[in-house]
Structure formats: structure tokens, C-alpha cells
Amino acid sequence: MARVHDAVGTTAWRAHRMSTNIPRSLFDHFVVIEDIRDEKKRRHLLIDMLVIAITAVICGADGWTQVAAFGKAKEAWFRQFLQLPNGIPSHDTFGRVFSVLSPEVFEARFREWVASVREVCGEDIVAIDGKSLRRSHCRKKGLGPLHMVSAWSVANGLVLAQQATEAKSNEITAIPEVLALLELKGCIVTIDAMGCQKAIAKDIVVQGGDYVLALKGNQSTLAQAVEELFIDADAIDYAGWPMDSYETIDRGHGRVETRRYFTLTAVDKIPQAADWEKRNMVGMVQSERQVNDKTTAETRFFIGSIGGDAQRFGWAVRNHWGIENGVHWCLDIAFREDESRVRDRQAANNLAVMRHIALNLLKKDTTVKGGIKTKRLVAGLDEDYLANLLFEQGA
């Protein structure tokens, strides 16, 4: 259970914020985190360290040495709204504090902030997927890379929640924990084959959502049955079968990608699907990619609860990859997450949450044209833009 400050600590921060004429921001959600350090030994306020670290990550910092260096370079700017009773903490202090700060508490405040800025915009796709932080392993402690399972709102372009695991194989246990943190009413949840489990489908439906789950090795019997159903229906050109289809063609950069989406609602013909909550369709996607004279093809199968509209099915499947392009790719390329050498588990987890905070803020911003790397650079150079991210986008 998340522990928080008493009202005195929270009131002190808000009084200080008002006295410095700084508007409400995302940091109002983090000030309630309890500082569990020995009060007699504290030289720096926890909220000050949180503000400096999150801001530094937005502007390009990838570790505690860079966070401390950024804080010292921007000390005069930070003093406009932080108390900093003993100046900027050292990189060792940042490392120690974030190694004892509870990731569960930090993530809870992160979700609270996201809920305050998330907009209701009709039916939303919530994509669930995992990503390993490759260099976060620690051989001395016998720990493999930290693996983060994240939830991504396609309509809002926001990371909604995350859950850390010790290995990719643990996604099956992490996914229900992530789902339990989310408001899913009116959403379609998409998950790759790792999360294609009856219990996960039931959790989604119980929380008011629908699902489209990819079928593969971990549901090989069901996947084979769905494939055979489509083979039987295709053999008679789908005559008499409740089928719908939809096709998209994308061209660009010398390539042509054709995707054909098929749905069948004759799920009762698949005995293996009987125990899946609210299942009412199975889907097939045939993808063909042509680059110059080379053509590659792939066929994938799905089970879902969204009905037989093939266009809706295609919309859900295509948008699932938003978490790959909008989150994982950005974290790898713009934040160099895979190169992070922070190996303390709690510190690495907390730093991952800060990257998600930074990513959400930068994606929400529309005032600077360019990608995430460009926006991080501008934020580090332009204090007005940085203040806009923190106190306007983050409010």
C-alpha cells in the first residue's frame, strides 16, 4: 500500500509553490510520497530531488551523474520554485535516494497524474506489451535484465501504467497486475501472444473492456483450430460463412505493404474457444510486404470479443503496434534506455517510470515540431519551453 506524506508536508509544498507564483503541475501528485529516510540525516528535500531528476530526464539525462550535472547547471532556474536548502544533491545522493524510494509508490502517483490528464475520447485501444532494459542486468547479484510491461493509450498517446518483472517469461503474471490498475470500460485491450490467456481475457471483460489477443505457440491448439477454420471456410470461398473482410495498402520509401483482415463469428465451431469469456470472433491477418523485387508474407490469427466488423478488427490490430513505435522505439532511440547502466533494481525501476513521465509530456506537446530527441534537446536549452512542459502540459 502506498505511503504518503501527512497533510503538513503537502501543505508546505503547496504554500511554497503559491509563494513563488508557480502554477499547479504534475509535481503536486508526487509531493505526497513519504520520505522514509532518517529525518536527522536528510540534507535535501525529497520533492526537490524528484523535480530535478524528472526534469533532467526530460532534457536528456540518462543516469544519476547526468541528473546531478543538469541540476547544478540549472540551479538558478530551479531556485525559482524549489527550496534547495543545501543546494543540488550529488550523484551519489540521487542514486541512494532512488534506490530506497518504493517503485510501487512512485508508480501509483504516476498513474494518478496520468488519470488527471487522460481525456475521454470515445473507444480507445489500450495496448499491453513488454520491453527488457538490456543492460540493467547484474551478474554479481545473479539478476537478469529488468523487464517492464507497459499499457499504452492509443487515443491519448500516453503510457498509462507499468509493471516490472525479472524476466520476459513473467509477463503472464505481470499483465493481470497492469490490467488491475486500469480503467478499461469502453476500451479494446490488445496483447501479443504472450498474454493470450483465458484468465486475462476474463479479467478484461470483468473490468468492462473488450479484447483482441494474438494466437501463437502458447495457445497452439487453439491457434491451429482457428487456422483450420479459416482453411475450411476459404475452400468454399466463405459461402454461407459469417465472414467480413477489409484491406489496406500502404506505400512509401520504395515499399508496398498490403494487409488483408478477415473475421469469422462462427466461434461455436471451435470447441477450444468455448471457455474464453465473451468470445464472439476469430480473426486472420495476411500481411504482404514488397520491397523492390523482394516479397515477404506473414499470416497471424487472433481471438476477440469485438464482433465481426473486419474494419474494426483491423483498426485494433494496427494500433497495437503503436506501443512498439510510440513507446519502445522512442525509449530505445530517443532515451537510449537499453544503454542505461543503472543496475540497482529499485533505482532502475524508478528511472524507467521517469522516462515514461518524460515521454508522456513530450508526446503531449505540440508547440515544438520534431521528434522526441529534438524536443528533449529544446527542453534542455529553452527554459520557457521546459516550464511549459512542466507547468502547462503536466498540469
Side-chain angles (χ1 to χ4, degrees):
M1 183 175 177
R3 292 190 295 179
V4 299
H5 274 309
D6 58 28
V8 175
T10 306
T11 302
W13 156 259
R14 290 174 179 165
H16 178 71
R17 173 171 58 76
M18 294 177 66
S19 70
T20 51
N21 296 317
I22 296 297
R24 178 179 170 82
S25 71
L26 69 94
F27 302 121
D28 286 76
H29 296 278
F30 294 106
V31 70
V32 297
I33 296 175
E34 181 184 18
D35 191 341
I36 63 172
R37 296 175 295 164
D38 185 339
E39 188 173 355
K40 296 179 180 179
K41 296 181 180 179
R42 295 179 205 163
R43 298 186 66 250
H44 305 281
L45 301 177
L46 179 61
I47 186 60
D48 287 356
M49 297 185 70
L50 287 167
V51 172
I52 294 168
I54 292 171
T55 306
V57 170
I58 291 171
C59 297
D62 299 320
W64 309 128
T65 299
Q66 294 178 14
V67 167
F70 178 84
K72 291 183 185 303
K74 294 285 187 181
E75 183 172 356
W77 185 75
F78 279 123
R79 284 192 178 278
Q80 296 178 56
F81 54 93
L82 298 181
Q83 297 184 54
L84 300 177
N86 290 290
I88 303 297
S90 68
H91 69 277
D92 286 336
T93 302
F94 277 109
R96 283 195 302 270
V97 169
F98 282 98
S99 69
V100 298
L101 176 64
S102 166
E104 292 77 17
V105 173
F106 196 28
E107 289 166 3
R109 304 282 71 78
F110 166 83
R111 293 192 302 273
E112 179 189 86
W113 166 63
V114 170
S116 72
V117 298
R118 185 183 181 186
E119 298 178 6
V120 178
C121 35
E123 190 171 55
D124 191 7
I125 301 290
V126 174
I128 310 288
D129 198 18
K131 178 186 181 299
S132 291
L133 284 64
R134 295 181 184 176
R135 299 188 73 180
S136 61
H137 63 279
C138 184
R139 291 189 181 92
K140 289 183 179 179
K141 297 181 179 179
L143 297 174
L146 186 67
H147 192 75
M148 298 292 292
V149 176
S150 303
W152 169 254
S153 164
V154 172
N156 284 270
L158 294 172
V159 178
L160 301 177
Q162 58 276 306
Q163 180 69 39
T165 73
E166 290 297 333
K168 184 172 183 176
S169 60
N170 292 335
E171 277 192 24
I172 293 175
T173 58
I175 289 172
E177 294 176 10
V178 172
L179 292 173
L181 303 172
L182 303 174
E183 172 56 59
L184 297 178
K185 189 174 182 179
C187 297
I188 299 174
V189 178
T190 60
I191 312 176
D192 64 13
M194 179 65 77
C196 189
Q197 302 286 326
K198 296 174 187 176
I200 289 175
K202 183 175 182 178
D203 287 345
I204 294 167
V205 173
V206 167
Q207 289 179 237
D210 283 302
Y211 61 88
V212 173
L213 307 180
L215 293 167
K216 215 171 183 180
N218 62 327
Q219 292 290 342
S220 57
T221 304
L222 178 58
Q224 183 177 350
V226 172
E227 181 176 6
E228 290 174 355
L229 187 71
F230 274 101
I231 290 172
D232 292 344
D234 185 66
I236 56 174
D237 199 24
Y238 295 96
W241 286 77
M243 186 273 288
D244 193 24
S245 63
Y246 175 64
E247 180 179 283
T248 62
I249 300 176
D250 297 317
R251 294 182 174 88
H253 304 290
R255 72 177 188 275
V256 179
E257 295 186 25
T258 303
R259 296 182 181 88
R260 300 178 183 90
Y261 304 91
F262 301 85
T263 62
L264 288 172
T265 53
V267 186
D268 58 324
K269 295 181 181 292
I270 308 175
Q272 297 88 339
D275 295 334
W276 288 76
E277 195 80 13
K278 199 185 171 182
R279 76 279 178 267
N280 57 21
M281 60 81 66
V282 290
M284 176 174 68
V285 180
Q286 295 176 332
S287 303
E288 185 178 282
R289 179 185 175 95
Q290 184 176 350
V291 181
N292 299 322
D293 296 329
K294 185 178 180 180
T295 301
T296 56
E298 180 186 24
T299 301
R300 293 172 290 152
F301 298 95
F302 300 80
I303 187 169
S305 64
I306 63 170
D309 186 333
Q311 187 167 352
R312 187 177 182 220
F313 166 60
W315 172 69
V317 171
R318 285 195 312 278
N319 276 289
H320 175 77
W321 298 110
I323 194 169
E324 280 288 339
N325 298 326
V327 182
H328 299 337
W329 189 86
C330 283
L331 291 173
D332 281 343
I333 302 302
F335 288 84
R336 315 303 297 178
E337 183 173 65
D338 279 348
E339 297 178 12
S340 175
R341 299 301 297 269
V342 176
R343 291 175 174 175
D344 179 271
R345 271 296 180 262
Q346 294 205 158
N349 197 339
N350 287 323
L351 190 55
V353 175
M354 284 188 273
R355 293 190 196 101
H356 285 160
I357 293 171
L359 184 63
N360 281 354
L361 287 172
L362 293 166
K363 280 191 168 291
K364 278 185 63 184
D365 173 68
T366 58
T367 62
V368 168
K369 303 301 180 184
I372 299 299
K373 286 183 72 173
T374 298
K375 290 181 177 182
R376 291 185 87 191
L377 177 64
V378 174
L381 296 172
D382 187 339
E383 292 176 354
D384 289 338
Y385 175 60
L386 181 56
N388 179 67
L389 287 175
L390 297 175
F391 303 112
E392 296 296 333
Q393 299 292 339

